Amino acid sequence: SSSRRGARMSNVTVCVRFRPLSHKERKANADNVCFRKLDSESFVFKDEREDDVVFSFDKVFYEDAQQSDVYNFLAVPIVSDAINGINGTIITYGQTGAGKTYSMEGPSILHCNEQKTGLVQRVVDELFICLRSSAGTWTVKLSMVEIYLEKVRDLLDLSKDNLQIKESKTQGIYIAGATEISILNSSDALENLSQGIANRAVGETQMNLASSRSHCLYIFSVQHGSTSDERVKMGKIILVDLAGSEKVEKTGAEGRVLDEAKTINKSLSALGNVINALTTGKQNHVPFRDSKLTRILQDALGGNSRAALLCCCSPSPSNAPESLSTLRFGTRTKLI
Ligand code: ADP
Ligand code: MG
C-alpha cells in the first residue's frame, strides 16, 4: 500500500531471492514450491503448517532471476555512492544452502562464466570502471575477515586470528591490524579474493569448522580525490555472507555446536535490531555494540550510508519453516 511505501524512507533495501529447486528437492516434492508469485515485489507464502501469508519487499527475485538482475537492483547504487564517499553494505541472509554464497561469489569466484558471476566480482568490476572514468586520483584497498564465535580472523593472513575493532576520528570504525591490500584492477582483486576464500577453507579444515557457521566479510575501502572538489572522499563497501540462520535442534545440540548456534543467533538478532532501529528512526538507540558484526558494520550501516539485505530462500516446501523465518527476519528489519 502507499502508506506502507511512505514509511520506507530509509536507505535500506530489503530483497528476497528464491533459488531454483535443487535435484534433491525436486526428487522429494516434484515441482512444488512454497510460494505463489504475485508480482516482482510480493508473493503468497504457503506452508501447510500455517495460514498463507502475503509478503512484500523492495524486490523479489524468483528462480529465473539472473545474477545481473540482483546486482543491478541492489548493488549499482551502492557502488556509485562509494566513490562519492558514501559507505555501503550488501548482506546475504538465510539458512545454509539457500544461495547466499552463490549470490556473492557465483558458483566459484575464479571459474565461472560471465552470466554466473556473483555480486563481489561485479562490484569490483563496476568500481574500477567508475574510478577510471572519473578524473582524479584513487586507491582501493581490500580486507577480508571472518567472524567465528565472536572472534575476528584475518582471511588474508591466517596468523592474525583475534583482531580487535577500534574507532578513530579520521578512520571511523576499523579492524585494527587487518591486512589491507591495495588493488589496482579487477584481476588483481580477484586474485586476492580467491586467496582469502582459499585461506578460509584452510582454516576450516585445520579447526574442523563449517563455513556456514561463520560470517565472511569482503571489505573494500575506496579513497577518491576528484579534481572538482579538494576533499578526498573515503567510502567503504562491505559485502557480508552471513552464517546460516537455521535453528539447531534444542535437544541434542551441545558443546561447540550449541555455542555456535547461540553466538550466530545473537549476532543475527543484533543485526536485525540495528537495521530496524535505523529504518524506524530510533537513531539514538542503535545497538551496534551488541555483536562484532554490527560493530564492524556501524559506519557502513549508520550515518551517511546505503545498505541492501538479500534474504535467500530455498523454494522447496521441505524448507518452508526456515524460509518463513528468513522472510520474517527481512520483514522485521523494515517494520516496527
Ligand atoms: P549458502 O551459501 O546459503 O549456504 P549456496 O550459495 O552454497 O548456499 O547454495 C547452495 C547450492 O545451491 C549450491 O550448490 C549453489 O550452487 C546452488 N545455488 C544457489 N543459488 C543458486 C542460483 N540462483 N542458481 C543456481 N544454483 C544456485
Ligand atoms: Mg555459503
Side-chain angles (χ1 to χ4, degrees), residues 108-165:
S108 148
I109 196 126
L110 268 184
H111 311 283
C112 65
N113 66 33
E114 210 186 311
Q115 198 191 7
K116 291 183 179 170
T117 300
L119 285 168
V120 179
Q121 197 193 319
R122 286 173 197 272
V123 162
V124 170
D125 291 348
E126 181 68 16
L127 191 56
F128 285 111
I129 289 171
C130 289
L131 288 170
R132 282 206 205 91
S133 67
S134 80
T137 55
W138 50 264
T139 58
V140 178
K141 286 181 183 160
L142 166 72
S143 296
M144 257 182 97
V145 300
E146 176 177 54
I147 308 175
Y148 174 71
L149 287 179
E150 288 300 277
K151 266 175 122 177
V152 182
R153 220 155 61 93
D154 193 335
L155 290 177
L156 299 175
D157 178 353
L158 289 181
S159 71
K160 302 177 183 170
D161 63 358
N162 192 10
L163 299 170
Q164 302 303 308
I165 304 160

Side-chain angles (χ1 to χ4, degrees), residues 199-226:
N199 285 345
R200 192 179 185 209
V202 168
E204 275 154 24
T205 312
Q206 282 170 354
M207 296 187 287
N208 189 25
L209 305 176
S211 64
S212 60
R213 312 316 288 152
S214 64
H215 309 304
C216 179
L217 284 75
Y218 314 81
I219 305 170
F220 298 94
S221 305
V222 184
Q223 272 198 35
H224 181 222
S226 78

Side-chain angles (χ1 to χ4, degrees), residues 17-20 63 65 67 94-103 107 212 241 312:
R17 184 178 200 180
F18 288 105
R19 64 157 167 74
E63 306 104 295
Q67 298 281 63
Q95 78 177 116
T96 299
K100 299 182 296 298
T101 304
Y102 184 94
S103 296
S212 60
D241 188 350
C312 299

Side-chain angles (χ1 to χ4, degrees), residues 8 11-18 40-43 55-62 65 69-78 89-94 98 100 103 119 275 307-313 323 326-331 333-334:
R8 293 185 174 188
N11 46 8
V12 179
T13 302
V14 181
C15 305
V16 168
R17 184 178 200 180
F18 288 105
S40 64
E41 293 167 13
S42 52
F43 54 86
F55 281 101
S56 298
F57 294 92
D58 292 310
K59 185 69 109 189
V60 183
F61 301 101
Y62 298 98
D69 298 329
V70 178
Y71 173 78
N72 287 332
F73 187 82
L74 56 77
V76 167
I78 289 179
T89 314
I90 303 170
I91 302 170
T92 53
Y93 181 101
K100 299 182 296 298
S103 296
L119 285 168
I275 299 176
L309 177 68
L310 184 65
C311 296
C312 299
C313 293
S323 297
T326 295
L327 297 169
R328 285 192 175 133
F329 179 88
T331 306
T333 59
K334 285 288 252 194

